[in-house]
Amino acid sequence: MDMTSRISGHFRDSIALLEQSILALSEPTAAGVDLLFSALMNDGKILACGNGGSAADAQHFIAELVGRFERDRLPLAGVALNTDTSIMTAVANDYSYDQIFERQVTALGRPGDVLVAISTSGNSENVLRSIDAAHEREMRVIALTGKGGGRIGTRLGPEDIHLCVPHDRTMRIQEVHILLLHALCDGVDAYLLGDPA
């Protein structure tokens, strides 16, 4: 096995997907920036959730909002719903794992808030239920998926934003998801702080 060639193939595959994603995702990502900025400027907050690698992405994204992205600014209101082990284990134990995000969205979400829902397959039941809860709370949703969007693609309303990576391989989808989340953070900061020269 030629490991160098194998690794080079990962770079080539990722580059090809990024090129493809420029056409598919630049415009909806810009709309996502507008949605996040509007929510934050109107005293709203951002809730984010996902499982596994998507949980790490949700936590990373919220850390960039509450902390900072690349430039100093005031903290922005955000909560990663997959970080409180006491809530997650209590809800999973007393109700079901499928409700761990739904109950938090119902408890914390308000009209004008935004849910960032991340699932590479688009089929995570607990993420799907969080989207339903967000709609019940009159929240809008930015969904990051792949593999054609799965069931999440059918759950979104016309006011929601679907960032569906045009690929079927989980690692490639996750690579684009982190770029999309960084682009969302950068866009919000550009609105808040101006475009640096």
Side-chain angles (χ1 to χ4, degrees):
M1 177 187 299
D2 182 346
M3 189 57 68
T4 300
S5 293
R6 184 180 182 89
I7 292 168
S8 296
H10 284 297
F11 281 105
R12 283 192 295 272
D13 290 348
S14 188
I15 289 166
L17 177 57
L18 290 170
E19 290 283 354
Q20 186 179 0
S21 296
I22 292 171
L23 297 174
L25 298 174
S26 293
E27 187 174 330
T29 303
V33 170
D34 291 341
L35 177 57
L36 293 173
F37 181 72
S38 176
L40 292 165
M41 292 304 96
N42 287 288
D43 203 28
K45 62 185 168 297
I46 313 305
L47 305 179
C49 65
N51 297 287
S54 298
D57 287 345
Q59 187 171 345
H60 179 162
F61 175 61
I62 295 300
E64 306 283 23
L65 296 179
V66 176
R68 68 174 194 147
F69 184 54
E70 292 188 314
R71 295 182 281 169
D72 286 328
R73 56 151 162 73
L74 292 173
L76 303 175
V79 179
L81 303 179
N82 43 262
T83 59
D84 191 321
T85 55
S86 294
I87 290 174
M88 291 196 305
T89 55
V91 172
N93 184 65
D94 296 343
Y95 299 95
S96 86
Y97 189 75
D98 291 342
Q99 296 183 50
I100 60 170
F101 303 139
E102 172 189 15
R103 290 188 69 85
Q104 293 182 77
V105 171
T106 300
L108 301 172
R110 299 290 178 265
D113 292 346
V114 176
L115 173 68
V116 176
I118 310 171
S119 170
T120 57
S121 69
N123 292 318
S124 300
E125 184 62 30
N126 53 16
V127 177
L128 282 156
R129 291 179 70 144
S130 75
I131 291 170
D132 293 340
H135 288 153
E136 289 172 8
R137 304 299 286 172
E138 299 179 27
M139 297 169 58
R140 290 178 63 186
V141 176
I142 300 173
L144 283 73
T145 68
K147 303 182 183 184
R151 291 163 56 209
I152 285 176
T154 67
R155 274 311 220 293
L156 299 173
E159 299 297 313
D160 296 326
I161 295 169
H162 191 187
L163 303 178
C164 181
V165 177
H167 208 278
D168 289 329
R169 197 167 182 187
T170 298
M171 73 163 130
R172 294 284 97 89
I173 296 165
Q174 290 175 328
E175 288 162 7
V176 178
H177 279 180
I178 196 62
L179 186 147
L180 294 171
L181 293 170
H182 282 163
L184 291 170
C185 291
D186 175 73
V188 168
D189 276 9
Y191 279 144
L192 287 170
L193 304 172
D195 191 2

